[in-house]
Amino acid sequence: MNEPEGLRLRRLNRPQVIRDEAHEPQYKSTSTYSGKVFRVTFLTLVSLVLFPLLVLVFLLESPIHPEVFSLNEPPLMTGCYEPNLKLRQAERLFEDLLIGPESLANIGDVFYTGTADGKIVKIEGRNIHVLATLGKPPCGSPEHEHTCGRPLGIRVGPNGTLLVADAYLGLFEVNPVTGEVKSLVSTGKMIGGRRLGFVNDLDVTRDGKKVYFTDSSSRWQRRDFMHLIMEATADGRLLEYDTESKEVTVMMENLRFPNGIQLFPDEESVLVAETTMARIRRIHVSGLIKGGMDTFIDNLPGFPDNIRRSSSGGYWVSMSAVRPNPGFSMLDFLSQRPWLKKFIFKLFSQDTLLKFVPRYSLVVELQDGGTCVRSLHDPHGMVAAYISEAHEYNGQLYLGSFRSPYLCKLDLSKV
């Protein structure tokens, strides 16, 4: 036997490793098959769950019927609007003792405000007294607001009494000593063919003969304010109440969420915050151009609430939500996408949506021409959140809130 043949025989006689190859392919095939079955079953179940939900969402009627509107690109947060932390130097007052003190008025060192549970309270030093209630119990929840009442704007009239705008019940006069309540304008009254739906803020002339107030919407009430903002309904009005004749006159219509109000020094025109449009309108209520309207300031960096005079002769404007630039503003994005607004409101409640609105408190001081003088910020609302009004008195800026359980006080000499 030659050498090549011996090598060939040794290769043939090598021990063989026996494998169960017949079972291995079967195992792989079973695994692949099981995986396919799982995926098909999973996708089928998901489809069975999601498809009816999508059909249901599609068939559900949206609670809002939004209009298309456009906002200008938000102003850059530079210069006068440069972010800072000045509002974080504020001190919280009466924490957990006041819920939603929206607006403030003072007679000397005594302050008055309305709260979310329908009360007008009197603040003397460190003491809080319930001065009056405008509605009927039960109170303390959105479901009861329409009967309990929700005091918003509050002013001191020339005769020393308090004038109060209640979102659901109308205009009232309240004696600051006795707490006696007198109804001036009821929301049950038809004015210009419509009932008052959302009485918001007010101001009064120096002689006390005229009271101007905003009716934010005839369609949406205060507890549905997010619906009003997202729908951008142009059904808000500025009205005038004559304290002598007791007549109410419509001064301007077709406003989108008219909110805070402030008389001009000459009392021939009124500033009105048009919240949805991020601007302040000047409406002429007397004089040669009575009935006219122009824009006091457009394209604010946030959505304005109440307007109050500053000691420098300008105006404090409060905003609880901003339009960051650089950044992303949800309302600006949605303004021209009504279909998306409808879909969102089919899926989420107002309270859920509020959680997605970034908290950012901003107070701006404006001069007569609408020029920004200075701004005070609290990014993320760490100290002062959901602010609705900045009320200046004796070198201090008192901050009201439509939602927070406290007031804030800021020493202006330190900022």
Side-chain angles (χ1 to χ4, degrees):
M1 180 183 300
N2 57 31
E3 188 173 350
E5 289 178 350
L7 288 172
R8 188 165 58 254
L9 286 172
R10 282 197 297 272
R11 290 192 189 101
L12 291 173
N13 292 326
R14 280 180 180 176
Q16 301 292 314
V17 178
I18 299 173
R19 297 174 180 174
D20 191 0
E21 293 182 354
H23 288 83
E24 186 173 351
Q26 184 178 359
Y27 173 79
K28 290 180 180 179
S29 177
T30 302
S31 174
T32 305
Y33 176 74
S34 299
K36 288 181 179 178
V37 170
F38 174 77
R39 286 194 296 271
V40 171
T41 304
F42 177 76
L43 291 173
T44 301
L45 289 173
V46 169
S47 300
L48 289 173
V49 173
L50 285 182
F51 182 73
L53 284 176
L54 289 173
V55 171
L56 184 62
V57 169
F58 179 77
L59 294 177
L60 281 174
E61 185 177 355
S62 175
I64 64 172
H65 304 284
E67 299 179 11
V68 176
F69 70 101
S70 61
L71 295 169
N72 294 324
E73 181 181 350
L76 289 171
M77 300 284 272
T78 58
C80 185
Y81 298 138
E82 184 76 34
N84 55 61
L85 302 177
K86 292 180 179 179
L87 284 182
R88 290 192 183 173
Q89 297 182 45
E91 172 191 2
R92 287 185 178 181
L93 305 175
F94 307 106
E95 193 161 5
D96 296 325
L97 298 177
L98 295 170
I99 301 176
E102 163 95 8
S103 179
L104 294 155
N106 69 288
I107 301 175
D109 293 333
V110 180
F111 282 78
Y112 302 86
T113 187
T115 57
D117 53 0
K119 298 173 184 174
I120 306 297
V121 300
K122 182 177 183 178
I123 302 171
E124 293 183 273
R126 297 183 178 180
N127 300 314
I128 301 176
H129 310 281
V130 176
L131 179 66
T133 54
L134 303 179
K136 300 177 181 178
C139 296
S141 69
E143 292 75 21
H144 299 131
E145 273 193 3
H146 66 290
T147 52
C148 173
R150 179 50 167 113
L152 297 178
I154 184 168
R155 301 276 189 167
V156 178
N159 60 353
T161 61
L162 302 174
L163 295 170
V164 180
D166 187 284
Y168 299 90
L169 306 177
L171 292 187
F172 292 86
E173 185 176 27
V174 180
N175 188 304
V177 178
T178 66
E180 180 185 356
V181 175
K182 177 183 178 182
S183 175
L184 302 178
V185 181
S186 170
T187 50
K189 184 177 180 179
M190 296 291 288
I191 300 169
R194 288 185 283 166
R195 284 187 172 85
L196 299 174
F198 183 172
V199 179
N200 200 319
D201 196 18
L202 79 166
D203 201 0
V204 58
T205 55
R206 286 185 291 272
D207 60 11
K209 293 182 179 180
K210 306 285 186 182
V211 178
Y212 296 97
F213 64 100
T214 50
D215 180 26
S216 295
S217 176
S218 299
R219 172 170 161 76
W220 296 108
Q221 294 185 314
R222 194 219 71 89
R223 56 185 170 181
D224 300 315
F225 71 92
M226 278 293 289
H227 293 71
L228 173 57
I229 292 173
M230 296 294 280
E231 189 174 71
T233 314
D235 68 341
R237 300 182 290 176
L238 171 69
L239 302 110
E240 175 192 86
Y241 170 67
D242 189 311
T243 58
E244 295 180 333
S245 67
K246 315 302 181 188
E247 294 295 321
V248 180
T249 306
V250 178
M251 304 304 292
M252 187 59 65
E253 296 183 288
N254 303 320
L255 299 170
R256 297 183 192 272
F257 200 165
N259 198 332
I261 182 174
Q262 175 64 52
L263 274 161
F264 241 58
D266 63 8
E267 298 190 341
E268 290 190 355
S269 58
V270 176
L271 295 179
V272 177
E274 201 173 7
T275 300
T276 302
M277 301 305 294
R279 67 187 176 193
I280 297 175
R281 305 286 254 170
R282 182 178 179 179
I283 300 172
H284 300 272
V285 294
S286 65
L288 295 176
I289 49 176
K290 179 179 178 179
M293 178 172 65
D294 50 65
T295 300
F296 180 72
I297 183 171
D298 196 13
N299 204 32
L300 284 162
F303 301 99
D305 201 328
N306 284 355
I307 309 168
R308 293 296 185 266
R309 293 303 300 265
S310 70
S311 59
S312 67
Y315 305 92
W316 293 113
V317 181
S318 302
M319 301 170 233
S320 62
V322 299
R323 307 163 63 211
N325 186 9
F328 176 73
S329 170
M330 178 61 74
L331 187 58
D332 286 67
F333 174 75
L334 293 174
S335 63
Q336 298 188 40
R337 295 170 175 84
W339 61 272
L340 186 54
K341 289 183 183 180
K342 285 185 177 182
F343 184 77
I344 289 171
F345 268 85
K346 287 181 180 183
L347 297 177
F348 303 106
S349 68
Q350 175 174 271
D351 289 338
T352 301
L353 289 173
L354 272 174
K355 295 176 182 178
F356 291 98
V357 178
R359 291 196 298 181
Y360 193 118
S361 297
L362 173 62
V363 176
V364 174
E365 185 179 11
L366 303 175
Q367 290 178 335
D368 274 344
T371 306
C372 178
V373 178
R374 57 175 161 169
S375 63
L376 314 171
H377 301 241
D378 182 0
H380 312 298
M382 300 293 288
V383 175
Y386 304 112
I387 60 172
S388 51
E389 181 176 299
H391 178 91
E392 185 178 350
Y393 172 67
N394 199 24
Q396 306 287 325
L397 196 63
Y398 294 85
L399 305 171
S401 172
F402 65 91
R403 188 177 174 90
S404 297
Y406 51 76
L407 285 171
C408 283
K409 180 176 73 172
L410 178 68
D411 187 340
L412 289 173
S413 67
K414 295 181 179 180
V415 295

